[in-house]
Amino acid sequence: MGQTLADLPLRDELRGEEPYGAPQLDVPVLLNVNENPYPPSDAVVADIAESVAEAARGLNRYPDREALGLRSDLAAYLGHDLTPAHVWAANGSNEVMLQILQAFGGPGRLALSFAPTYSMYPEYARDSCTTWLTGRRAEDFTLDPGHVVEQIRTHQPAVVLLASPNNPTGTALSLDLIETVCGVAPGIVVVDEAYAEFRRDGTPSALTLLPAYPRLIVTRTMSKAFALAGGRLGYLATDPAIVDALRIVRLPYHLSAVTQAVARAALRHTGELLARVAELRERRDETVEWLRGLGLTVADTDANFVLFGTFDDRHALWQGLLDKGVLIRETGPDGWLRVSIGSAEEMAAFRTALREVLGR
Ligand code: PMP
């Protein structure tokens, strides 16, 4: 008999844990992990292929450890007078966030966020031996400044983690709120802007606050707007001293030459890739209106997904949609479901399936 997980001398806090897993099912309409529905165009694919071939010729050597070319391209994309020294990149913003907690969290330190929020945060905390604590969001999923300040004053977190727009609710934060947090937080403040490019007009980015707050980190990803989830490239902008701190904990050569080449190729097509973001934002706003028209409650959203509800038995609804070939996500507070914004055809399939399952 082979051994099982239960037989292993696993760290106590990992016992009984399951690997992260949104279901990866073979279903025609995939609207469950906030992916971009549009594969890269032929022009982008050709550029990526050529760039990877070029990188392949040097694969006997380790890659540029500092990824300076890529960081320079990312700084240029972000603007705001940022330089490569202000920018750091890793394999997905998942890894960026883990590195932040490895450098600034750790045993005896606490990371604070406000629930409901991204389900991976507690896992980064666990894996970096950082105590994890959440305050709460208001009924409409916004943050009450009084509650936020009180939580920070009480718990003195080494890291405050705020997603804006937040997953799974879609809620963006005001700059006022972020400035309030930066004013009272004793340590690092992270604003996770994985969905920043999907913001509605008038919703600001925390990038504008970087010059004023040297302990603020703004994280981004190429997984969503750049349609590069499979490429695994996340990044951040912050003060150069914080980048130096992250360079201490990163694994040597953490970002492969292939990854760097793929990301740089995609960045050369920013215009084309972001044109499709505008289309997705419009479809997101239409989806919100359509769901509200059905009489459902829908959270205001600045992201490429919509949280809607509420249902006495959300699992039954989720399963009903799945039976019709539409996979969405059973996540968020009890009674709510989240749908990612797909292509026009995918959203039509979602609407048809939802009407049928609801009997409306
Ligand atoms: N932050 C938030 C809020 C997310 O929703 C996600 C992806 N679902 C990520 C970070 C991670 O993205 P990635 O690792 O693909 O960059």
Side-chain angles (χ1 to χ4, degrees), residues 34 92-94 118 121 163 167 192 194-195 221 223-224 232-234:
N34 305 338
S93 49
N94 285 146
Y118 184 37
Y121 294 156
N167 182 6
D192 177 355
Y195 300 96
T221 181
S223 293
K224 314 294 178 181
R232 309 306 301 130
L233 200 289

Side-chain angles (χ1 to χ4, degrees), residues 271-348:
E272 176 194 324
L273 290 162
L274 295 195
R276 312 221 81 173
V277 166
E279 200 182 297
L280 290 164
R281 290 166 66 209
E282 255 174 58
R283 194 167 303 129
R284 179 254 336 263
D285 294 339
E286 286 163 14
T287 305
V288 168
E289 286 312 307
W290 182 81
L291 288 163
R292 285 183 178 150
L294 281 186
L296 296 169
T297 308
V298 185
D300 285 332
T301 173
D302 279 278
N304 67 339
F305 53 83
V306 180
L307 190 73
F308 64 100
T310 56
F311 307 103
D312 292 337
D313 185 353
R314 73 167 169 184
H315 182 72
L317 201 102
W318 176 85
Q319 184 67 53
L321 292 172
L322 183 57
D323 293 344
K324 295 181 184 302
V326 178
L327 179 62
I328 66 167
R329 191 78 180 269
E330 199 179 348
T331 187
D334 226 17
W336 295 80
L337 291 167
R338 191 192 71 193
V339 62
S340 310
I341 301 302
S343 66
E345 297 72 29
E346 288 169 325
M347 296 319 285

Side-chain angles (χ1 to χ4, degrees), residues 20 33-34 91-95 97 117-118 120-121 124 163-167 192-195 219-224 228-229 232-235 305 338:
Y20 167 83
V33 285
N34 305 338
N91 296 281
S93 49
N94 285 146
E95 188 181 27
M97 210 71 80
T117 192
Y118 184 37
M120 280 301 296
Y121 294 156
Y124 309 143
S164 179
N166 183 47
N167 182 6
D192 177 355
E193 292 195 346
Y195 300 96
T219 63
R220 294 275 185 107
T221 181
M222 294 186 75
S223 293
K224 314 294 178 181
L228 209 69
R232 309 306 301 130
L233 200 289
Y235 58 104
F305 53 83
R338 191 192 71 193

Side-chain angles (χ1 to χ4, degrees), residues 62-90:
Y62 285 109
D64 173 9
R65 229 177 6 226
E66 305 301 342
L68 274 172
L70 172 60
R71 285 161 63 196
S72 162
D73 293 351
L74 289 167
Y77 165 66
L78 289 177
H80 295 272
D81 296 327
L82 294 165
T83 71
H86 295 92
V87 172
W88 182 243

